[in-house]
């Protein structure tokens, strides 16, 4: 599920609202704590420059 979520976020990263919606949905799917941690790190690395507010709010940075 982690890899699918990454692919989806890459495809929708051009649209702020769609990105936010898919990010929240992905977090509901990922239930394993270690996967959630890896996903958070990935999102910060890949998307923070595009959507800093969404990333901060979603991951409570």
């Amino acid at each position: 599920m982690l890899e699918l979520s990454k692919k989806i976020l890459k495809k929708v990263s051009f649209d702020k609202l769609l990105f936010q919606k898919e990010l929240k949905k992905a977090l509901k799917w990922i239930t394993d704590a270690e996967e959630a941690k890896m996903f958070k790190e990935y999102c910060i690395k890949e998307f923070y420059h595009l959507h800093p507010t969404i990333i901060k709010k979603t991951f409570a940075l």
Side-chain angles (χ1 to χ4, degrees):
M1 201 43 107
L2 182 63
E3 292 304 314
L4 177 61
S5 297
K6 289 178 181 180
K7 287 180 186 178
I8 292 171
L9 288 177
K10 280 185 181 181
K11 290 182 180 182
V12 300
S13 64
F14 68 92
D15 183 294
K16 181 181 177 180
L17 294 176
L18 192 53
F19 178 81
Q20 185 175 19
K21 177 182 172 186
E22 292 299 330
L23 180 59
K24 287 181 180 182
K25 192 185 309 182
L27 288 173
K28 289 180 184 178
W29 289 343
I30 300 171
T31 56
D32 181 64
E34 186 62 32
E35 276 192 353
K37 182 181 175 187
M38 290 177 6
F39 184 66
K40 176 182 176 181
E41 291 169 359
Y42 168 80
C43 288
I44 291 168
K45 180 182 171 192
E46 293 293 321
F47 303 112
Y48 189 81
H49 68 284
L50 293 172
H51 305 293
T53 307
I54 295 170
I55 298 294
K56 284 180 188 176
K57 186 176 179 183
T58 303
F59 293 110
L61 299 178

